[in-house]
Amino acid sequence: MYLIERLRKNYTVTSVLSILQIARSTYYRWVSEGIREKSQVEKAVISLCTETSFRYGHRKIRKLLQRQYDIKRNRNTVQRIMQKHHLQCRVKRKRKWKSQGESVIIAPNILNRNFTAIHPNLKWVTDITYIQYGPRTLYLSTMMDLYNNEVVAYTLDDHQQTSLILDTLRAALEKRNSPKGVLVHSDQGSVYSSYAYQKELGVRNLTSSMSRRGNCWDNAVIESFHSSLKSEEFMFTKFNSISEKDVRQRIDRYIKYYNEERIQEKLGYHAPKTFGSMSA
């Protein structure tokens, strides 16, 4: 309000409020009532949103409010506080599905959108996404375990050839001590339907599953992860605006954060590794 009072000496109240995106009714309520001191709940919500870099919506903030501050409020109350102080989670950009070429070997859609698993190494999902924030386009290949949505392995390189996904698959198998019988689900991209990749799955005693062509919802969990990575870690970053070293460091940092800190409703509002250790 004090800022508005200073600016109105040179500008109209309407123009100042418009630039600051403040409703006229809100401003005149401030004038008549004065600015109220923030409540304990408001301060806690503001603190949580700031600590989590504004990545969470009101449901997760409500859960953290109860867990960390022992404050119980319904989600509508938390949502109103976040809206009042402009703390809403950034809306994720939608990703358009892109065909990766002609298929060679097509596996059936065994997963069939059943994104739950009763134990680790039962179902893995994998995908490739574009990373366009450095001087050249990089490609991120990720392997995720649907038991706790943990990113088991990932590879970042300047190409999207079959070797990219083979490196990711082999890294995941090495990290998990080469489990047998895992269902590995992907889209029908040319690298996943290649003879080399399908042969590797067979040699490792893994089962291949593929989404229907052009249907991103069949692999929604990994699609959602890649969307979150871009919208949360690169929130205010323009394409081709930072160094490749910075891009790689951000990818490493975000995946570590995702596995160890980012809570998920599916996991009872725990992070993937926390959930995995609780169930071990």
Side-chain angles (χ1 to χ4, degrees), residues 54-66:
F54 310 99
R55 289 167 168 163
Y56 288 167
H58 62 275
R59 291 177 177 84
K60 289 184 177 179
I61 292 297
R62 171 180 173 268
K63 203 70 180 181
L64 289 179
L65 187 67
Q66 180 177 342

Side-chain angles (χ1 to χ4, degrees), residues 239-274:
F239 288 162
N240 309 318
S241 65
I242 56 178
S243 69
E244 183 173 319
K245 180 180 178 181
D246 196 15
V247 172
R248 292 180 179 276
Q249 289 177 340
R250 288 194 185 196
I251 295 292
D252 292 340
R253 179 177 64 197
Y254 183 83
I255 292 180
K256 185 177 189 301
Y257 156 77
Y258 182 89
N259 280 340
E260 299 178 5
E261 299 180 40
R262 192 181 189 277
I263 62 175
Q264 299 184 33
E265 183 177 0
K266 167 187 173 179
L267 308 178
Y269 294 97
H270 294 288
K273 285 198 171 182
T274 302

Side-chain angles (χ1 to χ4, degrees), residues 104-105 162 190-201:
V104 178
I105 300 174
T162 305
S190 59
V191 289
Y192 296 115
S193 58
S194 67
Y195 285 114
Y197 177 72
Q198 291 296 320
K199 179 181 178 180
E200 185 77 10
L201 292 179

Side-chain angles (χ1 to χ4, degrees), residues 198-220:
Q198 291 296 320
K199 179 181 178 180
E200 185 77 10
L201 292 179
V203 169
R204 300 281 191 156
N205 293 313
L206 308 174
T207 302
S208 180
S209 172
M210 288 184 177
S211 303
R212 293 165 293 176
R213 179 164 290 279
N215 196 320
C216 63
W217 297 108
D218 287 348
N219 209 7

